[in-house]
Amino acid sequence: MIMIFSGAGLSAESGISTFRDHDGLWENYDVMQVCSTQGWKADRTLVTQFYNARRADLQDKKPNAAHLALASLEKKYPGKLYNLTQNVDNLLEKAGCKEVIHLHGTLTDVRCETCEHVWDVGYSVQDVHTSCPRCKSTCVRHNVVMFGEAAPAYEKIYEAIQECEIFIAIGTSGQVIDIVPIVSEFSDSILINPNKEKHVSAFGLQDRYIDEHFKYFLQMGAVEAVPEMMNIIEEFMDV
Ligand SMILES: [Zn+2]
């Protein structure tokens, strides 16, 4: 099976930006105020407005050739893909992917803090009076993992490592989730990233660059990498 692990670089060419592009300030919002548990506790209205804007921004965004390539892999190798993404957008779904694991949650869903029910709100604007359709609680929040809280979907990473023989990292610099310990479990692997980046592990700066741990390094954007990525995957799968 194939483990796909994508990050912001997959969606960058569709015009989706992330807090890392904004140097601490995102359209006049302080990132730590709107992306952390402290910020959420301090001002739910402000954080809700921020996620309303992010959600509305998704509506006209289109999947790019890399999203479409992953959807075509899902069709070509049914049941053989673990499609994990750190992205909270819905561009993989828009491209036709059916089985996406969102490690950091989803913008188009909200979640009840009382009963944990998660539901799709599309691109609609939420306010602090929104109530849960299941338990009627008004403790409703965005469904994106914040700094300062656990990401339960991370257990899927370990599951995927057990199940898969091929690891493909796309558009991720390994700053949030260190991908070197993951790739060290695989003999067949591809890294797609326009930048050659130093490996910073939990123990600090390491001697080897991230790409040096991979079998193939395609130093380019996700869209440009599609033809070569597909060729290499076919070679892996035909063996
Ligand atoms: Zn509820």
Side-chain angles (χ1 to χ4, degrees):
M1 289 182 70
I2 309 169
M3 176 175 180
I4 311 277
F5 188 84
S6 60
L10 174 63
S11 293
E13 287 161 279
S14 292
I16 302 224
S17 59
T18 71
F19 68 88
R20 287 185 190 284
D21 306 324
H22 292 262
D23 208 23
L25 204 65
W26 192 343
E27 281 161 29
N28 295 324
Y29 292 94
D30 174 334
V31 165
M32 279 319 281
Q33 230 175 347
V34 292
C35 300
S36 72
T37 51
Q38 298 100 303
W40 174 239
K41 277 185 200 132
D43 192 343
R44 294 171 77 107
T45 303
L46 180 85
V47 176
T48 301
Q49 282 168 353
F50 173 78
Y51 283 101
N52 283 338
R54 301 281 73 72
R55 194 179 293 122
D57 186 48
L58 271 189
Q59 187 154 14
D60 65 348
K61 296 290 187 287
K62 293 189 173 55
N64 63 48
H67 296 106
L68 294 166
L70 295 182
S72 77
L73 279 179
E74 191 185 286
K75 280 205 189 75
K76 188 169 181 190
Y77 304 109
K80 292 204 182 298
L81 230 59
Y82 260 87
N83 195 356
L84 284 74
T85 187
Q86 298 168 86
N87 299 339
V88 296
D89 64 61
N90 60 351
L91 293 179
L92 283 167
E93 286 86 351
K94 279 187 182 177
C97 292
K98 304 274 182 257
E99 308 275 347
V100 183
I101 298 160
H102 286 274
L103 297 167
H104 294 148
T106 44
L107 271 174
T108 50
D109 295 321
V110 294
R111 182 163 95 232
C112 172
E113 292 180 307
T114 306
C115 76
E116 296 295 318
H117 180 52
V118 173
W119 68 100
D120 185 356
V121 294
Y123 307 103
S124 67
V125 170
Q126 304 299 301
D127 64 38
V128 288
H129 306 295
T130 300
S131 65
C132 171
R134 197 161 78 180
C135 77
K136 306 298 174 213
S137 161
T138 53
C139 294
V140 174
R141 56 165 281 180
H142 60 83
N143 190 40
V144 173
V145 175
M146 296 182 276
F147 294 112
E149 68 183 350
Y154 280 15
E155 68 183 49
K156 293 285 180 188
I157 297 174
Y158 305 104
E159 197 180 298
I161 292 170
Q162 301 301 316
E163 299 288 329
C164 299
E165 304 83 39
I166 300 164
F167 179 58
I168 303 166
I170 306 175
T172 179
S173 54
Q175 285 177 337
V176 177
I177 299 173
D178 185 359
I179 54 177
V180 169
I182 302 175
V183 72
S184 66
E185 302 284 335
F186 292 86
S187 52
D188 286 334
S189 58
I190 311 172
L191 173 65
I192 297 162
N193 198 14
N195 306 313
K196 187 173 177 76
E197 299 197 48
K198 295 207 161 117
H199 174 215
V200 181
S201 80
F203 306 104
L205 185 63
Q206 303 296 304
D207 294 337
R208 293 168 75 196
Y209 283 82
I210 292 175
D211 60 90
E212 291 167 11
H213 296 268
F214 282 77
K215 185 166 185 178
Y216 294 94
F217 176 35
L218 309 183
Q219 191 175 354
M220 56 186 84
V223 168
E224 191 189 349
V226 165
E228 211 170 331
M229 174 186 82
M230 298 300 264
N231 284 340
I232 299 172
I233 292 173
E234 268 162 39
E235 266 172 42
F236 284 155
M237 295 302 280
D238 286 347
V239 175

